Amino acid sequence: MSVVDVILRGDFDNSYEITVDYGIMDEVVSDLCDEKFGCTPVVICDENTRELFGHELVEKLAVKGVDPLLLTVPAGENSKSLDVFGSLLEAMLEAGITRQDVVVALGGGVVGDLSGYVAGSYMRGINFVQVPTTLLSQVDSAVGGKVAVNISGGKNYCGMFYQPRRVYSDISALDTLPEREILSGLGEVVKHGFIYDRDFVEFLRDNAEKVLKLDKEVMSRVVSRCCEIKADVVSRDEKEGGMRRILNYGHTVGHAIETFAGYKKSHGECVAYGMRIVARACSKAGILSGDDLELHDEVMDRLGLATGDIDIDPSLIMELMKRDKKVKQGAVVIVALDKLGHAVVREDFPLELIEAELKDLS
Ligand code: NAD
Ligand code: MG
C-alpha cells in the first residue's frame, strides 16, 4: 500500500490523501461506516461500475447498518451533461440528503468529474470521496480537483475546482478494464514521466511487459508515482495559473485529433499521438536531444502507444488547434520538452514543425 499526500494550502487547506492498494474496498467500507467523511453515503456509479463494484459496496455497508443512496448514470461521456447533473441533484434532494452527507464517486473519469461537480454544487458543497476504477481516473482525473460536465459548446466548459476529501485507488479494479481503456490510461501515465521524471520513464520502459500484464506491484508503483507527480504539480499551482499547464503535454495536438476523429478515438490515444508529434517537433527545433527522443519513442513503442500512422488532415488539425480553449490571445500554447523529464510552456513554438510532423504521420 502507498499513500500520496496532496498538499493544497491556498486560501483554504484542501489537502487530502490518496491511498493506492489492491483490494481496498474494505477500507472504503470501514471509513464510510465510521462516518469519516459524512453520514449517508451517496454512491454514484455508471451501469458498469454498479455491476462490478456498486452492489457489493452497498451490501457491505448494509451489513454494517449503513444505508447508502445508490445512484446510477448511463456509461459514457454523454452522462457528463447538465441534464444528468440536474437529475442527480433532484434525486439527492428527494432522498433527503443533507450537507452532512458524502458523495462517493465509484467509477472512471466520467463518474468522477460528474459526481465531483454534483458534490461541489449540492447545497453549495458537500463532502466528496473518489474511488476511481479506471487507470485514467486513478492516474489523472481523480487527482487535482477539476470537476465538470460538458455543454454543447465544449467539453468540460461547465465546472469548478472541487477537491475530494480522500481518494482510494484500487489496483485490482483494473483487472476487468478493457484493453482500450488501459491504453488510454497509459497515455497519461507516460506523460507524467515525460514532463517530470526521467527515471520513471526508464522504469516504464524496463517494466513495459509487466505494465501491460497489469502486474499488481508494478501497477501500484505506476499509479502512485503518477499521483505523486500530478499532486506535486497541482500543489504548486492549484488553479492552473502557470505550472499546472505542463500537464497538458501532448494535449493541444491531441485534443485537435480527438475533435477531428469525432471523439471515436480515446482521449489517451489522441494524446499519445500528440506527444509523439510534439517530441519530434522539439527535436527538430533543437530543443530536445536525439537520445531523449529515442527513449521517448521507445517507451511508447513498448507500451503500444500511438504506433503506426493515423488518418488525419494536417491543415484541419492545425485549424482546430488554433480554436482550442487554451489558446491565449491568439497564441497557441504548446507544452514542449527541453529534456526528457522536463517540460516548458511555450507560446512561440514554431507551429510549422508540428504541421510537418502531422503530415509525416498521416
Ligand atoms: P469512463 O469513466 O467513461 O470509463 C471508461 C469505461 O470503462 C466506461 O464504460 C466505464 O463504465 C468502464 N469502467 C470503469 N471502471 C471499470 C472497471 N474497473 N472495469 C471495467 N470497466 C470499467 O472514462 P475514463 O477514461 O475513466 O475517464 C474519461 C473522462 O475523464 C473524460 O470525461 C475526461 O474529460 C475526464 N478527465 C478529467 C480529468 C480531470 O482532471 N478532472 C483529467 C482527465 C480526464
Ligand atoms: Mg488528458
Short mmCIF file of all heavy atoms in Angstrom, two decimals, residues 46 48-49 52-53 75 77 80 108-110 113 133-134 136 140-141 146 155-156 173 176-177 181 230, ligand 1:
data_model
loop_
_atom_site.label_atom_id
_atom_site.label_comp_id
_atom_site.label_asym_id
_atom_site.label_seq_id
_atom_site.Cartn_x
_atom_site.Cartn_y
_atom_site.Cartn_z
N ASP A 46 -21.67 4.26 -12.76
CA ASP A 46 -22.34 4.10 -14.05
C ASP A 46 -22.82 2.64 -14.11
O ASP A 46 -22.56 1.86 -13.18
CB ASP A 46 -21.47 4.55 -15.24
CG ASP A 46 -20.28 3.65 -15.50
OD1 ASP A 46 -20.26 2.49 -15.02
OD2 ASP A 46 -19.36 4.09 -16.21
N ASN A 48 -21.86 0.07 -15.59
CA ASN A 48 -20.82 -0.97 -15.47
C ASN A 48 -20.25 -1.06 -14.07
O ASN A 48 -20.09 -2.15 -13.52
CB ASN A 48 -19.68 -0.69 -16.46
CG ASN A 48 -20.15 -0.72 -17.89
OD1 ASN A 48 -21.06 -1.48 -18.24
ND2 ASN A 48 -19.57 0.12 -18.74
N THR A 49 -19.93 0.09 -13.50
CA THR A 49 -19.30 0.03 -12.17
C THR A 49 -20.32 -0.34 -11.08
O THR A 49 -19.94 -0.86 -10.04
CB THR A 49 -18.58 1.35 -11.83
OG1 THR A 49 -19.50 2.44 -11.87
CG2 THR A 49 -17.44 1.61 -12.80
N LEU A 52 -20.08 -4.11 -11.33
CA LEU A 52 -18.77 -4.62 -10.91
C LEU A 52 -18.48 -4.38 -9.43
O LEU A 52 -17.90 -5.23 -8.75
CB LEU A 52 -17.66 -3.97 -11.76
CG LEU A 52 -17.58 -4.42 -13.21
CD1 LEU A 52 -16.73 -3.45 -14.03
CD2 LEU A 52 -16.98 -5.83 -13.28
N PHE A 53 -18.85 -3.20 -8.94
CA PHE A 53 -18.44 -2.84 -7.57
C PHE A 53 -19.56 -2.24 -6.72
O PHE A 53 -19.51 -2.29 -5.50
CB PHE A 53 -17.30 -1.79 -7.60
CG PHE A 53 -16.25 -2.06 -8.63
CD1 PHE A 53 -16.17 -1.31 -9.80
CD2 PHE A 53 -15.32 -3.08 -8.44
CE1 PHE A 53 -15.20 -1.56 -10.76
CE2 PHE A 53 -14.34 -3.33 -9.40
CZ PHE A 53 -14.28 -2.58 -10.56
N ALA A 75 -23.36 4.57 -18.80
CA ALA A 75 -21.91 4.61 -19.01
C ALA A 75 -21.61 5.50 -20.22
O ALA A 75 -22.37 5.52 -21.19
CB ALA A 75 -21.38 3.21 -19.24
N GLU A 77 -19.39 9.18 -21.98
CA GLU A 77 -19.17 10.63 -21.88
C GLU A 77 -20.48 11.43 -21.87
O GLU A 77 -20.54 12.50 -21.27
CB GLU A 77 -18.28 11.04 -23.07
CG GLU A 77 -17.80 12.46 -23.08
CD GLU A 77 -16.78 12.82 -22.00
OE1 GLU A 77 -16.04 11.93 -21.53
OE2 GLU A 77 -16.75 14.00 -21.60
N LYS A 80 -21.85 13.15 -18.80
CA LYS A 80 -21.31 14.41 -18.27
C LYS A 80 -22.11 15.57 -18.87
O LYS A 80 -21.60 16.35 -19.66
CB LYS A 80 -19.82 14.54 -18.61
CG LYS A 80 -18.91 13.92 -17.56
CD LYS A 80 -17.44 13.97 -17.92
CE LYS A 80 -16.87 15.34 -18.11
NZ LYS A 80 -15.40 15.31 -18.32
N GLY A 108 -15.06 5.58 -13.42
CA GLY A 108 -13.95 6.22 -14.13
C GLY A 108 -14.06 7.74 -14.09
O GLY A 108 -14.77 8.31 -13.24
N GLY A 109 -13.38 8.37 -15.04
CA GLY A 109 -13.33 9.83 -15.05
C GLY A 109 -14.68 10.48 -15.29
O GLY A 109 -14.93 11.58 -14.81
N VAL A 110 -15.55 9.80 -16.03
CA VAL A 110 -16.88 10.37 -16.27
C VAL A 110 -17.64 10.49 -14.95
O VAL A 110 -18.14 11.56 -14.59
CB VAL A 110 -17.66 9.50 -17.30
CG1 VAL A 110 -19.14 9.83 -17.29
CG2 VAL A 110 -17.07 9.69 -18.70
N ASP A 113 -15.80 13.13 -12.62
CA ASP A 113 -15.99 14.54 -12.97
C ASP A 113 -17.42 14.99 -12.67
O ASP A 113 -17.66 16.08 -12.14
CB ASP A 113 -15.72 14.77 -14.47
CG ASP A 113 -14.23 14.84 -14.78
OD1 ASP A 113 -13.42 14.48 -13.91
OD2 ASP A 113 -13.87 15.27 -15.90
N THR A 133 -11.95 3.81 -10.73
CA THR A 133 -11.85 2.40 -11.11
C THR A 133 -11.25 2.18 -12.49
O THR A 133 -11.16 1.05 -12.95
CB THR A 133 -13.25 1.74 -11.08
OG1 THR A 133 -14.09 2.42 -12.03
CG2 THR A 133 -13.88 1.81 -9.70
N THR A 134 -10.87 3.27 -13.21
CA THR A 134 -10.14 3.10 -14.47
C THR A 134 -8.71 3.59 -14.25
O THR A 134 -8.46 4.38 -13.34
CB THR A 134 -10.76 3.92 -15.63
OG1 THR A 134 -10.68 5.32 -15.29
CG2 THR A 134 -12.20 3.54 -15.88
N LEU A 136 -7.09 5.60 -16.19
CA LEU A 136 -7.05 7.04 -16.45
C LEU A 136 -7.50 7.84 -15.22
O LEU A 136 -6.90 8.84 -14.86
CB LEU A 136 -7.90 7.41 -17.66
CG LEU A 136 -7.83 8.90 -17.96
CD1 LEU A 136 -7.34 9.15 -19.36
CD2 LEU A 136 -9.12 9.61 -17.70
N ASP A 140 -5.00 10.25 -13.22
CA ASP A 140 -5.20 11.59 -13.74
C ASP A 140 -6.43 12.28 -13.18
O ASP A 140 -6.34 13.17 -12.33
CB ASP A 140 -5.26 11.51 -15.29
CG ASP A 140 -5.17 12.85 -15.97
OD1 ASP A 140 -5.16 13.86 -15.26
OD2 ASP A 140 -5.10 12.89 -17.21
N SER A 141 -7.63 11.83 -13.61
CA SER A 141 -8.79 12.67 -13.33
C SER A 141 -9.17 12.74 -11.85
O SER A 141 -9.77 13.72 -11.42
CB SER A 141 -10.00 12.22 -14.17
OG SER A 141 -10.39 10.93 -13.85
N LYS A 146 -10.25 19.02 -10.56
CA LYS A 146 -11.05 19.61 -11.64
C LYS A 146 -12.28 18.73 -11.82
O LYS A 146 -12.15 17.53 -12.05
CB LYS A 146 -10.27 19.61 -12.96
CG LYS A 146 -9.30 20.75 -13.10
CD LYS A 146 -8.75 20.70 -14.52
CE LYS A 146 -7.76 21.77 -14.82
NZ LYS A 146 -7.24 21.66 -16.20
N LYS A 155 -16.28 20.61 -24.29
CA LYS A 155 -16.05 19.62 -23.24
C LYS A 155 -15.52 20.31 -21.97
O LYS A 155 -14.63 21.17 -22.07
CB LYS A 155 -14.98 18.66 -23.78
CG LYS A 155 -15.06 17.26 -23.24
CD LYS A 155 -14.27 16.33 -24.15
CE LYS A 155 -13.41 15.35 -23.49
NZ LYS A 155 -13.56 14.60 -22.41
N ASN A 156 -16.08 19.96 -20.85
CA ASN A 156 -15.66 20.48 -19.54
C ASN A 156 -15.83 21.99 -19.40
O ASN A 156 -15.12 22.62 -18.62
CB ASN A 156 -14.19 20.11 -19.24
CG ASN A 156 -13.98 18.62 -19.19
OD1 ASN A 156 -14.85 17.88 -18.74
ND2 ASN A 156 -12.84 18.15 -19.67
N ALA A 173 -9.15 -3.23 -9.31
CA ALA A 173 -10.28 -2.83 -10.16
C ALA A 173 -9.88 -2.86 -11.64
O ALA A 173 -10.72 -3.05 -12.51
CB ALA A 173 -10.77 -1.43 -9.78
N THR A 176 -10.65 -5.84 -14.71
CA THR A 176 -11.80 -6.01 -15.61
C THR A 176 -11.84 -4.95 -16.72
O THR A 176 -12.76 -4.94 -17.54
CB THR A 176 -13.12 -5.92 -14.81
OG1 THR A 176 -13.06 -4.76 -13.97
CG2 THR A 176 -13.34 -7.15 -13.96
N LEU A 177 -10.85 -4.09 -16.73
CA LEU A 177 -10.88 -2.96 -17.68
C LEU A 177 -10.51 -3.41 -19.09
O LEU A 177 -9.51 -4.09 -19.29
CB LEU A 177 -9.87 -1.92 -17.19
CG LEU A 177 -10.12 -0.47 -17.52
CD1 LEU A 177 -11.48 0.01 -17.01
CD2 LEU A 177 -9.01 0.39 -16.90
N GLU A 181 -9.22 0.85 -22.75
CA GLU A 181 -9.21 1.77 -21.61
C GLU A 181 -7.85 1.76 -20.90
O GLU A 181 -7.41 2.78 -20.39
CB GLU A 181 -10.33 1.42 -20.61
CG GLU A 181 -11.73 1.41 -21.20
CD GLU A 181 -12.17 2.77 -21.74
OE1 GLU A 181 -11.58 3.80 -21.36
OE2 GLU A 181 -13.09 2.79 -22.58
N LYS A 230 1.48 14.32 -10.29
CA LYS A 230 0.38 15.26 -10.52
C LYS A 230 0.12 16.09 -9.26
O LYS A 230 -0.09 17.30 -9.33
CB LYS A 230 -0.90 14.54 -10.98
CG LYS A 230 -1.97 15.55 -11.38
CD LYS A 230 -3.07 15.03 -12.28
CE LYS A 230 -4.05 16.17 -12.58
NZ LYS A 230 -5.26 15.74 -13.24
P1 NAD B 1 -15.06 6.41 -18.28
O1 NAD B 1 -15.36 6.92 -16.94
O2 NAD B 1 -16.07 6.61 -19.32
O3 NAD B 1 -14.71 4.86 -18.17
C1 NAD B 1 -14.45 4.13 -19.34
C2 NAD B 1 -15.33 2.89 -19.42
O4 NAD B 1 -14.85 1.91 -18.51
C3 NAD B 1 -16.79 3.11 -19.07
O5 NAD B 1 -17.58 2.36 -19.91
C4 NAD B 1 -16.89 2.56 -17.64
O6 NAD B 1 -18.17 2.11 -17.32
C5 NAD B 1 -15.92 1.43 -17.70
N1 NAD B 1 -15.31 1.03 -16.43
C6 NAD B 1 -14.96 1.81 -15.39
N2 NAD B 1 -14.28 1.11 -14.49
C7 NAD B 1 -14.20 -0.16 -14.95
C8 NAD B 1 -13.59 -1.35 -14.49
N3 NAD B 1 -12.87 -1.36 -13.36
N4 NAD B 1 -13.70 -2.47 -15.24
C9 NAD B 1 -14.37 -2.45 -16.43
N5 NAD B 1 -14.94 -1.35 -16.93
C10 NAD B 1 -14.86 -0.22 -16.20
O7 NAD B 1 -13.70 7.04 -18.86
P2 NAD B 1 -12.30 7.43 -18.21
O8 NAD B 1 -11.32 7.20 -19.28
O9 NAD B 1 -12.09 6.82 -16.88
O10 NAD B 1 -12.46 9.00 -17.99
C11 NAD B 1 -12.64 9.88 -19.05
C12 NAD B 1 -13.19 11.18 -18.51
O11 NAD B 1 -12.25 11.74 -17.61
C13 NAD B 1 -13.44 12.23 -19.58
O12 NAD B 1 -14.73 12.76 -19.42
C14 NAD B 1 -12.40 13.29 -19.30
O13 NAD B 1 -12.83 14.59 -19.63
C15 NAD B 1 -12.18 13.14 -17.83
N6 NAD B 1 -10.89 13.62 -17.35
C16 NAD B 1 -10.89 14.50 -16.32
C17 NAD B 1 -9.70 14.97 -15.81
C18 NAD B 1 -9.71 15.88 -14.63
O14 NAD B 1 -8.67 16.44 -14.28
N7 NAD B 1 -10.82 16.02 -13.98
C19 NAD B 1 -8.49 14.53 -16.35
C20 NAD B 1 -8.52 13.63 -17.39
C21 NAD B 1 -9.73 13.17 -17.89
#
